[in-house]
PDB file of all heavy atoms in Angstrom:
ATOM      1  N   PRO A  64     -19.124   2.007  -4.441  1.00 96.00           N
ATOM      2  CA  PRO A  64     -19.146   3.240  -5.238  1.00 96.00           C
ATOM      3  C   PRO A  64     -18.497   3.054  -6.616  1.00 96.00           C
ATOM      4  O   PRO A  64     -18.972   3.616  -7.603  1.00 96.00           O
ATOM      5  CB  PRO A  64     -18.343   4.228  -4.386  1.00 96.00           C
ATOM      6  CG  PRO A  64     -18.467   3.725  -2.995  1.00 96.00           C
ATOM      7  CD  PRO A  64     -18.525   2.238  -3.120  1.00 96.00           C
ATOM      8  N   ALA A  65     -17.425   2.272  -6.678  1.00 97.00           N
ATOM      9  CA  ALA A  65     -16.749   2.044  -7.962  1.00 97.00           C
ATOM     10  C   ALA A  65     -17.689   1.360  -8.943  1.00 97.00           C
ATOM     11  O   ALA A  65     -17.765   1.747 -10.118  1.00 97.00           O
ATOM     12  CB  ALA A  65     -15.488   1.205  -7.760  1.00 97.00           C
ATOM     13  N   LEU A  66     -18.438   0.353  -8.480  1.00 97.00           N
ATOM     14  CA  LEU A  66     -19.356  -0.375  -9.358  1.00 97.00           C
ATOM     15  C   LEU A  66     -20.489   0.540  -9.840  1.00 97.00           C
ATOM     16  O   LEU A  66     -20.893   0.467 -11.006  1.00 97.00           O
ATOM     17  CB  LEU A  66     -19.927  -1.598  -8.630  1.00 97.00           C
ATOM     18  CG  LEU A  66     -18.921  -2.728  -8.414  1.00 97.00           C
ATOM     19  CD1 LEU A  66     -19.492  -3.809  -7.502  1.00 97.00           C
ATOM     20  CD2 LEU A  66     -18.478  -3.335  -9.743  1.00 97.00           C
ATOM     21  N   ASN A  67     -20.969   1.406  -8.948  1.00 96.00           N
ATOM     22  CA  ASN A  67     -22.003   2.367  -9.364  1.00 96.00           C
ATOM     23  C   ASN A  67     -21.472   3.286 -10.451  1.00 96.00           C
ATOM     24  O   ASN A  67     -22.157   3.552 -11.442  1.00 96.00           O
ATOM     25  CB  ASN A  67     -22.454   3.209  -8.163  1.00 96.00           C
ATOM     26  CG  ASN A  67     -23.302   2.387  -7.208  1.00 96.00           C
ATOM     27  OD1 ASN A  67     -23.944   1.408  -7.601  1.00 96.00           O
ATOM     28  ND2 ASN A  67     -23.289   2.774  -5.935  1.00 96.00           N
ATOM     29  N   ARG A  68     -20.244   3.733 -10.239  1.00 96.00           N
ATOM     30  CA  ARG A  68     -19.629   4.621 -11.210  1.00 96.00           C
ATOM     31  C   ARG A  68     -19.409   3.927 -12.549  1.00 96.00           C
ATOM     32  O   ARG A  68     -19.698   4.484 -13.624  1.00 96.00           O
ATOM     33  CB  ARG A  68     -18.298   5.110 -10.636  1.00 96.00           C
ATOM     34  CG  ARG A  68     -17.565   6.092 -11.465  1.00 96.00           C
ATOM     35  CD  ARG A  68     -18.294   7.423 -11.550  1.00 96.00           C
ATOM     36  NE  ARG A  68     -17.660   8.276 -12.538  1.00 96.00           N
ATOM     37  CZ  ARG A  68     -16.540   8.961 -12.317  1.00 96.00           C
ATOM     38  NH1 ARG A  68     -15.970   8.937 -11.122  1.00 96.00           N
ATOM     39  NH2 ARG A  68     -16.002   9.694 -13.267  1.00 96.00           N
ATOM     40  N   LEU A  69     -18.930   2.681 -12.503  1.00 97.00           N
ATOM     41  CA  LEU A  69     -18.677   1.925 -13.733  1.00 97.00           C
ATOM     42  C   LEU A  69     -19.982   1.685 -14.497  1.00 97.00           C
ATOM     43  O   LEU A  69     -20.013   1.718 -15.727  1.00 97.00           O
ATOM     44  CB  LEU A  69     -18.002   0.580 -13.413  1.00 97.00           C
ATOM     45  CG  LEU A  69     -16.548   0.659 -12.940  1.00 97.00           C
ATOM     46  CD1 LEU A  69     -16.073  -0.710 -12.441  1.00 97.00           C
ATOM     47  CD2 LEU A  69     -15.641   1.143 -14.058  1.00 97.00           C
ATOM     48  N   THR A  70     -21.066   1.446 -13.741  1.00 96.00           N
ATOM     49  CA  THR A  70     -22.369   1.249 -14.370  1.00 96.00           C
ATOM     50  C   THR A  70     -22.835   2.536 -15.038  1.00 96.00           C
ATOM     51  O   THR A  70     -23.274   2.534 -16.202  1.00 96.00           O
ATOM     52  CB  THR A  70     -23.410   0.812 -13.320  1.00 96.00           C
ATOM     53  OG1 THR A  70     -22.893  -0.306 -12.596  1.00 96.00           O
ATOM     54  CG2 THR A  70     -24.714   0.402 -13.985  1.00 96.00           C
ATOM     55  N   ALA A  71     -22.689   3.648 -14.304  1.00 95.00           N
ATOM     56  CA  ALA A  71     -23.098   4.955 -14.843  1.00 95.00           C
ATOM     57  C   ALA A  71     -22.294   5.297 -16.094  1.00 95.00           C
ATOM     58  O   ALA A  71     -22.825   5.878 -17.046  1.00 95.00           O
ATOM     59  CB  ALA A  71     -22.904   6.033 -13.774  1.00 95.00           C
ATOM     60  N   ASP A  72     -21.017   4.909 -16.109  1.00 95.00           N
ATOM     61  CA  ASP A  72     -20.153   5.199 -17.254  1.00 95.00           C
ATOM     62  C   ASP A  72     -20.335   4.192 -18.393  1.00 95.00           C
ATOM     63  O   ASP A  72     -19.677   4.304 -19.423  1.00 95.00           O
ATOM     64  CB  ASP A  72     -18.680   5.204 -16.817  1.00 95.00           C
ATOM     65  CG  ASP A  72     -18.340   6.380 -15.910  1.00 95.00           C
ATOM     66  OD1 ASP A  72     -19.196   7.283 -15.772  1.00 95.00           O
ATOM     67  OD2 ASP A  72     -17.235   6.404 -15.338  1.00 95.00           O
ATOM     68  N   GLY A  73     -21.182   3.186 -18.168  1.00 95.00           N
ATOM     69  CA  GLY A  73     -21.476   2.231 -19.238  1.00 95.00           C
ATOM     70  C   GLY A  73     -20.369   1.231 -19.514  1.00 95.00           C
ATOM     71  O   GLY A  73     -20.261   0.714 -20.635  1.00 95.00           O
ATOM     72  N   LEU A  74     -19.548   0.924 -18.519  1.00 97.00           N
ATOM     73  CA  LEU A  74     -18.471  -0.050 -18.712  1.00 97.00           C
ATOM     74  C   LEU A  74     -18.843  -1.442 -18.205  1.00 97.00           C
ATOM     75  O   LEU A  74     -18.241  -2.437 -18.605  1.00 97.00           O
ATOM     76  CB  LEU A  74     -17.187   0.427 -18.008  1.00 97.00           C
ATOM     77  CG  LEU A  74     -16.670   1.800 -18.442  1.00 97.00           C
ATOM     78  CD1 LEU A  74     -15.431   2.168 -17.651  1.00 97.00           C
ATOM     79  CD2 LEU A  74     -16.389   1.830 -19.934  1.00 97.00           C
ATOM     80  N   VAL A  75     -19.807  -1.479 -17.298  1.00 96.00           N
ATOM     81  CA  VAL A  75     -20.299  -2.779 -16.823  1.00 96.00           C
ATOM     82  C   VAL A  75     -21.830  -2.750 -16.852  1.00 96.00           C
ATOM     83  O   VAL A  75     -22.436  -1.681 -16.871  1.00 96.00           O
ATOM     84  CB  VAL A  75     -19.836  -3.087 -15.379  1.00 96.00           C
ATOM     85  CG1 VAL A  75     -18.329  -3.064 -15.270  1.00 96.00           C
ATOM     86  CG2 VAL A  75     -20.454  -2.145 -14.381  1.00 96.00           C
ATOM     87  N   GLU A  76     -22.423  -3.939 -16.860  1.00 95.00           N
ATOM     88  CA  GLU A  76     -23.875  -4.021 -16.767  1.00 95.00           C
ATOM     89  C   GLU A  76     -24.266  -4.809 -15.537  1.00 95.00           C
ATOM     90  O   GLU A  76     -23.549  -5.719 -15.115  1.00 95.00           O
ATOM     91  CB  GLU A  76     -24.452  -4.673 -18.029  1.00 95.00           C
ATOM     92  CG  GLU A  76     -24.801  -3.620 -19.068  1.00 95.00           C
ATOM     93  CD  GLU A  76     -24.418  -4.055 -20.463  1.00 95.00           C
ATOM     94  OE1 GLU A  76     -24.737  -5.211 -20.827  1.00 95.00           O
ATOM     95  OE2 GLU A  76     -23.789  -3.241 -21.187  1.00 95.00           O
ATOM     96  N   CYS A  77     -25.403  -4.456 -14.998  1.00 94.00           N
ATOM     97  CA  CYS A  77     -25.809  -5.006 -13.708  1.00 94.00           C
ATOM     98  C   CYS A  77     -27.173  -5.675 -13.829  1.00 94.00           C
ATOM     99  O   CYS A  77     -28.103  -5.104 -14.394  1.00 94.00           O
ATOM    100  CB  CYS A  77     -25.862  -3.860 -12.698  1.00 94.00           C
ATOM    101  SG  CYS A  77     -26.574  -4.335 -11.129  1.00 94.00           S
ATOM    102  N   THR A  78     -27.278  -6.903 -13.309  1.00 92.00           N
ATOM    103  CA  THR A  78     -28.555  -7.609 -13.265  1.00 92.00           C
ATOM    104  C   THR A  78     -28.897  -7.886 -11.817  1.00 92.00           C
ATOM    105  O   THR A  78     -28.102  -8.495 -11.105  1.00 92.00           O
ATOM    106  CB  THR A  78     -28.454  -8.969 -13.999  1.00 92.00           C
ATOM    107  OG1 THR A  78     -27.748  -8.781 -15.212  1.00 92.00           O
ATOM    108  CG2 THR A  78     -29.819  -9.539 -14.257  1.00 92.00           C
ATOM    109  N   GLU A  79     -30.055  -7.441 -11.410  1.00 86.00           N
ATOM    110  CA  GLU A  79     -30.454  -7.707 -10.025  1.00 86.00           C
ATOM    111  C   GLU A  79     -31.117  -9.071  -9.926  1.00 86.00           C
ATOM    112  O   GLU A  79     -32.001  -9.387 -10.710  1.00 86.00           O
ATOM    113  CB  GLU A  79     -31.390  -6.611  -9.516  1.00 86.00           C
ATOM    114  CG  GLU A  79     -30.607  -5.475  -8.878  1.00 86.00           C
ATOM    115  CD  GLU A  79     -31.494  -4.407  -8.282  1.00 86.00           C
ATOM    116  OE1 GLU A  79     -31.978  -4.608  -7.156  1.00 86.00           O
ATOM    117  OE2 GLU A  79     -31.688  -3.381  -8.948  1.00 86.00           O
ATOM    118  N   GLN A  80     -30.672  -9.854  -8.973  1.00 83.00           N
ATOM    119  CA  GLN A  80     -31.265 -11.173  -8.754  1.00 83.00           C
ATOM    120  C   GLN A  80     -31.870 -11.209  -7.368  1.00 83.00           C
ATOM    121  O   GLN A  80     -31.154 -11.185  -6.377  1.00 83.00           O
ATOM    122  CB  GLN A  80     -30.203 -12.258  -8.880  1.00 83.00           C
ATOM    123  CG  GLN A  80     -29.809 -12.561 -10.317  1.00 83.00           C
ATOM    124  CD  GLN A  80     -28.745 -13.639 -10.402  1.00 83.00           C
ATOM    125  OE1 GLN A  80     -28.412 -14.261  -9.388  1.00 83.00           O
ATOM    126  NE2 GLN A  80     -28.212 -13.842 -11.588  1.00 83.00           N
ATOM    127  N   ALA A  81     -33.194 -11.286  -7.323  1.00 75.00           N
ATOM    128  CA  ALA A  81     -33.874 -11.388  -6.030  1.00 75.00           C
ATOM    129  C   ALA A  81     -33.544 -12.742  -5.420  1.00 75.00           C
ATOM    130  O   ALA A  81     -33.427 -13.743  -6.121  1.00 75.00           O
ATOM    131  CB  ALA A  81     -35.373 -11.240  -6.218  1.00 75.00           C
ATOM    132  N   GLN A  82     -33.345 -12.757  -4.104  1.00 72.00           N
ATOM    133  CA  GLN A  82     -33.066 -14.021  -3.424  1.00 72.00           C
ATOM    134  C   GLN A  82     -34.006 -14.169  -2.237  1.00 72.00           C
ATOM    135  O   GLN A  82     -34.327 -13.196  -1.580  1.00 72.00           O
ATOM    136  CB  GLN A  82     -31.640 -14.035  -2.904  1.00 72.00           C
ATOM    137  CG  GLN A  82     -30.588 -13.958  -3.970  1.00 72.00           C
ATOM    138  CD  GLN A  82     -29.225 -14.255  -3.380  1.00 72.00           C
ATOM    139  OE1 GLN A  82     -28.603 -15.238  -3.698  1.00 72.00           O
ATOM    140  NE2 GLN A  82     -28.774 -13.399  -2.492  1.00 72.00           N
ATOM    141  N   ASP A  83     -34.378 -15.377  -1.958  1.00 66.00           N
ATOM    142  CA  ASP A  83     -35.188 -15.657  -0.782  1.00 66.00           C
ATOM    143  C   ASP A  83     -34.348 -15.455   0.465  1.00 66.00           C
ATOM    144  O   ASP A  83     -33.248 -15.994   0.578  1.00 66.00           O
ATOM    145  CB  ASP A  83     -35.683 -17.121  -0.827  1.00 66.00           C
ATOM    146  CG  ASP A  83     -37.128 -17.178  -1.281  1.00 66.00           C
ATOM    147  OD1 ASP A  83     -37.623 -16.134  -1.766  1.00 66.00           O
ATOM    148  OD2 ASP A  83     -37.745 -18.247  -1.149  1.00 66.00           O
ATOM    149  N   LYS A  84     -34.871 -14.703   1.401  1.00 65.00           N
ATOM    150  CA  LYS A  84     -34.255 -14.558   2.721  1.00 65.00           C
ATOM    151  C   LYS A  84     -32.816 -14.056   2.672  1.00 65.00           C
ATOM    152  O   LYS A  84     -32.022 -14.354   3.543  1.00 65.00           O
ATOM    153  CB  LYS A  84     -34.252 -15.923   3.470  1.00 65.00           C
ATOM    154  CG  LYS A  84     -35.519 -16.737   3.302  1.00 65.00           C
ATOM    155  CD  LYS A  84     -36.436 -16.519   4.466  1.00 65.00           C
ATOM    156  CE  LYS A  84     -37.621 -17.500   4.393  1.00 65.00           C
ATOM    157  NZ  LYS A  84     -38.454 -17.420   5.593  1.00 65.00           N
ATOM    158  N   ARG A  85     -32.498 -13.364   1.622  1.00 67.00           N
ATOM    159  CA  ARG A  85     -31.171 -12.775   1.476  1.00 67.00           C
ATOM    160  C   ARG A  85     -31.354 -11.449   0.750  1.00 67.00           C
ATOM    161  O   ARG A  85     -32.297 -11.296  -0.005  1.00 67.00           O
ATOM    162  CB  ARG A  85     -30.269 -13.657   0.583  1.00 67.00           C
ATOM    163  CG  ARG A  85     -29.799 -14.914   1.231  1.00 67.00           C
ATOM    164  CD  ARG A  85     -28.324 -14.773   1.562  1.00 67.00           C
ATOM    165  NE  ARG A  85     -27.813 -16.002   2.139  1.00 67.00           N
ATOM    166  CZ  ARG A  85     -27.756 -16.201   3.440  1.00 67.00           C
ATOM    167  NH1 ARG A  85     -28.186 -15.287   4.294  1.00 67.00           N
ATOM    168  NH2 ARG A  85     -27.266 -17.327   3.902  1.00 67.00           N
ATOM    169  N   PRO A  86     -30.441 -10.527   0.981  1.00 68.00           N
ATOM    170  CA  PRO A  86     -30.538  -9.287   0.193  1.00 68.00           C
ATOM    171  C   PRO A  86     -30.404  -9.611  -1.287  1.00 68.00           C
ATOM    172  O   PRO A  86     -29.769 -10.605  -1.654  1.00 68.00           O
ATOM    173  CB  PRO A  86     -29.325  -8.475   0.682  1.00 68.00           C
ATOM    174  CG  PRO A  86     -28.917  -9.079   1.964  1.00 68.00           C
ATOM    175  CD  PRO A  86     -29.317 -10.513   1.914  1.00 68.00           C
ATOM    176  N   ASP A  87     -30.996  -8.773  -2.128  1.00 78.00           N
ATOM    177  CA  ASP A  87     -30.874  -8.980  -3.569  1.00 78.00           C
ATOM    178  C   ASP A  87     -29.406  -8.964  -3.975  1.00 78.00           C
ATOM    179  O   ASP A  87     -28.622  -8.204  -3.443  1.00 78.00           O
ATOM    180  CB  ASP A  87     -31.592  -7.857  -4.327  1.00 78.00           C
ATOM    181  CG  ASP A  87     -33.095  -7.949  -4.164  1.00 78.00           C
ATOM    182  OD1 ASP A  87     -33.551  -8.902  -3.506  1.00 78.00           O
ATOM    183  OD2 ASP A  87     -33.793  -7.078  -4.698  1.00 78.00           O
ATOM    184  N   LYS A  88     -29.086  -9.810  -4.923  1.00 89.00           N
ATOM    185  CA  LYS A  88     -27.748  -9.813  -5.499  1.00 89.00           C
ATOM    186  C   LYS A  88     -27.726  -8.857  -6.670  1.00 89.00           C
ATOM    187  O   LYS A  88     -28.671  -8.801  -7.454  1.00 89.00           O
ATOM    188  CB  LYS A  88     -27.457 -11.204  -6.051  1.00 89.00           C
ATOM    189  CG  LYS A  88     -26.513 -12.033  -5.261  1.00 89.00           C
ATOM    190  CD  LYS A  88     -26.178 -13.259  -6.081  1.00 89.00           C
ATOM    191  CE  LYS A  88     -25.519 -14.319  -5.235  1.00 89.00           C
ATOM    192  NZ  LYS A  88     -25.255 -15.540  -6.009  1.00 89.00           N
ATOM    193  N   LYS A  89     -26.631  -8.138  -6.808  1.00 93.00           N
ATOM    194  CA  LYS A  89     -26.441  -7.342  -8.018  1.00 93.00           C
ATOM    195  C   LYS A  89     -25.240  -7.927  -8.729  1.00 93.00           C
ATOM    196  O   LYS A  89     -24.098  -7.729  -8.320  1.00 93.00           O
ATOM    197  CB  LYS A  89     -26.180  -5.879  -7.681  1.00 93.00           C
ATOM    198  CG  LYS A  89     -27.405  -5.144  -7.169  1.00 93.00           C
ATOM    199  CD  LYS A  89     -27.081  -3.677  -7.001  1.00 93.00           C
ATOM    200  CE  LYS A  89     -28.299  -2.918  -6.486  1.00 93.00           C
ATOM    201  NZ  LYS A  89     -27.944  -1.506  -6.197  1.00 93.00           N
ATOM    202  N   VAL A  90     -25.523  -8.638  -9.817  1.00 95.00           N
ATOM    203  CA  VAL A  90     -24.440  -9.298 -10.547  1.00 95.00           C
ATOM    204  C   VAL A  90     -23.929  -8.373 -11.641  1.00 95.00           C
ATOM    205  O   VAL A  90     -24.713  -7.924 -12.492  1.00 95.00           O
ATOM    206  CB  VAL A  90     -24.921 -10.631 -11.149  1.00 95.00           C
ATOM    207  CG1 VAL A  90     -23.776 -11.301 -11.886  1.00 95.00           C
ATOM    208  CG2 VAL A  90     -25.473 -11.541 -10.068  1.00 95.00           C
ATOM    209  N   TYR A  91     -22.636  -8.083 -11.614  1.00 96.00           N
ATOM    210  CA  TYR A  91     -22.033  -7.179 -12.590  1.00 96.00           C
ATOM    211  C   TYR A  91     -21.288  -7.974 -13.658  1.00 96.00           C
ATOM    212  O   TYR A  91     -20.706  -9.027 -13.377  1.00 96.00           O
ATOM    213  CB  TYR A  91     -21.077  -6.213 -11.897  1.00 96.00           C
ATOM    214  CG  TYR A  91     -21.786  -5.233 -10.989  1.00 96.00           C
ATOM    215  CD1 TYR A  91     -22.015  -5.543  -9.652  1.00 96.00           C
ATOM    216  CD2 TYR A  91     -22.255  -4.022 -11.479  1.00 96.00           C
ATOM    217  CE1 TYR A  91     -22.675  -4.647  -8.815  1.00 96.00           C
ATOM    218  CE2 TYR A  91     -22.913  -3.121 -10.657  1.00 96.00           C
ATOM    219  CZ  TYR A  91     -23.122  -3.445  -9.322  1.00 96.00           C
ATOM    220  OH  TYR A  91     -23.778  -2.561  -8.506  1.00 96.00           O
ATOM    221  N   ARG A  92     -21.348  -7.440 -14.863  1.00 95.00           N
ATOM    222  CA  ARG A  92     -20.761  -8.130 -16.022  1.00 95.00           C
ATOM    223  C   ARG A  92     -20.048  -7.092 -16.883  1.00 95.00           C
ATOM    224  O   ARG A  92     -20.587  -5.991 -17.102  1.00 95.00           O
ATOM    225  CB  ARG A  92     -21.895  -8.773 -16.834  1.00 95.00           C
ATOM    226  CG  ARG A  92     -21.486  -9.874 -17.795  1.00 95.00           C
ATOM    227  CD  ARG A  92     -22.731 -10.539 -18.367  1.00 95.00           C
ATOM    228  NE  ARG A  92     -23.575 -11.124 -17.316  1.00 95.00           N
ATOM    229  CZ  ARG A  92     -24.602 -10.522 -16.724  1.00 95.00           C
ATOM    230  NH1 ARG A  92     -24.988  -9.324 -17.103  1.00 95.00           N
ATOM    231  NH2 ARG A  92     -25.268 -11.116 -15.766  1.00 95.00           N
ATOM    232  N   LEU A  93     -18.853  -7.419 -17.335  1.00 96.00           N
ATOM    233  CA  LEU A  93     -18.073  -6.512 -18.179  1.00 96.00           C
ATOM    234  C   LEU A  93     -18.671  -6.483 -19.586  1.00 96.00           C
ATOM    235  O   LEU A  93     -18.999  -7.535 -20.131  1.00 96.00           O
ATOM    236  CB  LEU A  93     -16.640  -7.047 -18.245  1.00 96.00           C
ATOM    237  CG  LEU A  93     -15.496  -6.089 -18.497  1.00 96.00           C
ATOM    238  CD1 LEU A  93     -15.477  -4.997 -17.459  1.00 96.00           C
ATOM    239  CD2 LEU A  93     -14.180  -6.838 -18.487  1.00 96.00           C
ATOM    240  N   ASN A  94     -18.812  -5.307 -20.176  1.00 95.00           N
ATOM    241  CA  ASN A  94     -19.202  -5.262 -21.594  1.00 95.00           C
ATOM    242  C   ASN A  94     -17.987  -4.860 -22.446  1.00 95.00           C
ATOM    243  O   ASN A  94     -16.881  -4.728 -21.918  1.00 95.00           O
ATOM    244  CB  ASN A  94     -20.395  -4.323 -21.811  1.00 95.00           C
ATOM    245  CG  ASN A  94     -20.072  -2.876 -21.459  1.00 95.00           C
ATOM    246  OD1 ASN A  94     -18.914  -2.484 -21.446  1.00 95.00           O
ATOM    247  ND2 ASN A  94     -21.106  -2.108 -21.159  1.00 95.00           N
ATOM    248  N   ASP A  95     -18.198  -4.692 -23.752  1.00 96.00           N
ATOM    249  CA  ASP A  95     -17.064  -4.424 -24.656  1.00 96.00           C
ATOM    250  C   ASP A  95     -16.334  -3.143 -24.288  1.00 96.00           C
ATOM    251  O   ASP A  95     -15.099  -3.099 -24.289  1.00 96.00           O
ATOM    252  CB  ASP A  95     -17.566  -4.339 -26.111  1.00 96.00           C
ATOM    253  CG  ASP A  95     -17.971  -5.710 -26.639  1.00 96.00           C
ATOM    254  OD1 ASP A  95     -17.602  -6.708 -25.988  1.00 96.00           O
ATOM    255  OD2 ASP A  95     -18.642  -5.779 -27.678  1.00 96.00           O
ATOM    256  N   ARG A  96     -17.105  -2.112 -23.949  1.00 96.00           N
ATOM    257  CA  ARG A  96     -16.468  -0.844 -23.590  1.00 96.00           C
ATOM    258  C   ARG A  96     -15.634  -1.021 -22.322  1.00 96.00           C
ATOM    259  O   ARG A  96     -14.552  -0.436 -22.194  1.00 96.00           O
ATOM    260  CB  ARG A  96     -17.523   0.241 -23.365  1.00 96.00           C
ATOM    261  CG  ARG A  96     -18.144   0.730 -24.677  1.00 96.00           C
ATOM    262  CD  ARG A  96     -18.976   1.988 -24.438  1.00 96.00           C
ATOM    263  NE  ARG A  96     -18.210   3.023 -23.764  1.00 96.00           N
ATOM    264  CZ  ARG A  96     -18.720   3.977 -23.010  1.00 96.00           C
ATOM    265  NH1 ARG A  96     -20.032   4.020 -22.804  1.00 96.00           N
ATOM    266  NH2 ARG A  96     -17.954   4.888 -22.454  1.00 96.00           N
ATOM    267  N   GLY A  97     -16.144  -1.828 -21.387  1.00 96.00           N
ATOM    268  CA  GLY A  97     -15.409  -2.088 -20.153  1.00 96.00           C
ATOM    269  C   GLY A  97     -14.110  -2.825 -20.428  1.00 96.00           C
ATOM    270  O   GLY A  97     -13.068  -2.506 -19.839  1.00 96.00           O
ATOM    271  N   PHE A  98     -14.186  -3.790 -21.332  1.00 97.00           N
ATOM    272  CA  PHE A  98     -12.973  -4.546 -21.663  1.00 97.00           C
ATOM    273  C   PHE A  98     -11.935  -3.644 -22.336  1.00 97.00           C
ATOM    274  O   PHE A  98     -10.736  -3.737 -22.040  1.00 97.00           O
ATOM    275  CB  PHE A  98     -13.336  -5.736 -22.566  1.00 97.00           C
ATOM    276  CG  PHE A  98     -12.224  -6.723 -22.718  1.00 97.00           C
ATOM    277  CD1 PHE A  98     -11.861  -7.552 -21.662  1.00 97.00           C
ATOM    278  CD2 PHE A  98     -11.512  -6.801 -23.910  1.00 97.00           C
ATOM    279  CE1 PHE A  98     -10.815  -8.450 -21.791  1.00 97.00           C
ATOM    280  CE2 PHE A  98     -10.460  -7.696 -24.045  1.00 97.00           C
ATOM    281  CZ  PHE A  98     -10.115  -8.521 -22.989  1.00 97.00           C
ATOM    282  N   SER A  99     -12.426  -2.755 -23.207  1.00 97.00           N
ATOM    283  CA  SER A  99     -11.528  -1.785 -23.836  1.00 97.00           C
ATOM    284  C   SER A  99     -10.855  -0.910 -22.795  1.00 97.00           C
ATOM    285  O   SER A  99      -9.651  -0.631 -22.877  1.00 97.00           O
ATOM    286  CB  SER A  99     -12.306  -0.875 -24.796  1.00 97.00           C
ATOM    287  OG  SER A  99     -12.754  -1.603 -25.902  1.00 97.00           O
ATOM    288  N   ALA A 100     -11.639  -0.450 -21.824  1.00 96.00           N
ATOM    289  CA  ALA A 100     -11.098   0.409 -20.773  1.00 96.00           C
ATOM    290  C   ALA A 100     -10.007  -0.330 -20.008  1.00 96.00           C
ATOM    291  O   ALA A 100      -8.969   0.249 -19.657  1.00 96.00           O
ATOM    292  CB  ALA A 100     -12.204   0.844 -19.827  1.00 96.00           C
ATOM    293  N   LEU A 101     -10.218  -1.625 -19.757  1.00 97.00           N
ATOM    294  CA  LEU A 101      -9.208  -2.436 -19.075  1.00 97.00           C
ATOM    295  C   LEU A 101      -7.927  -2.494 -19.907  1.00 97.00           C
ATOM    296  O   LEU A 101      -6.827  -2.272 -19.396  1.00 97.00           O
ATOM    297  CB  LEU A 101      -9.759  -3.839 -18.822  1.00 97.00           C
ATOM    298  CG  LEU A 101      -8.784  -4.844 -18.206  1.00 97.00           C
ATOM    299  CD1 LEU A 101      -8.296  -4.385 -16.840  1.00 97.00           C
ATOM    300  CD2 LEU A 101      -9.423  -6.227 -18.105  1.00 97.00           C
ATOM    301  N   LEU A 102      -8.080  -2.788 -21.201  1.00 97.00           N
ATOM    302  CA  LEU A 102      -6.908  -2.865 -22.080  1.00 97.00           C
ATOM    303  C   LEU A 102      -6.166  -1.531 -22.124  1.00 97.00           C
ATOM    304  O   LEU A 102      -4.928  -1.492 -22.130  1.00 97.00           O
ATOM    305  CB  LEU A 102      -7.331  -3.275 -23.495  1.00 97.00           C
ATOM    306  CG  LEU A 102      -7.867  -4.708 -23.642  1.00 97.00           C
ATOM    307  CD1 LEU A 102      -8.156  -5.027 -25.098  1.00 97.00           C
ATOM    308  CD2 LEU A 102      -6.885  -5.729 -23.064  1.00 97.00           C
TER     309      LEU A 102
END
Side-chain angles (χ1 to χ4, degrees):
Chain A
L66 289 171
N67 287 334
R68 183 67 189 281
L69 289 171
T70 308
D72 291 350
L74 303 178
V75 302
E76 268 139 47
C77 172
T78 316
E79 270 184 81
Q80 284 180 8
Q82 297 191 114
D83 258 12
K84 320 263 188 173
R85 287 253 183 266
D87 291 358
K88 254 189 195 177
K89 288 186 180 175
V90 181
Y91 292 90
R92 199 172 301 94
L93 207 57
N94 63 22
D95 289 346
R96 286 191 54 206
F98 192 72
S99 292
L101 176 61
L102 293 184

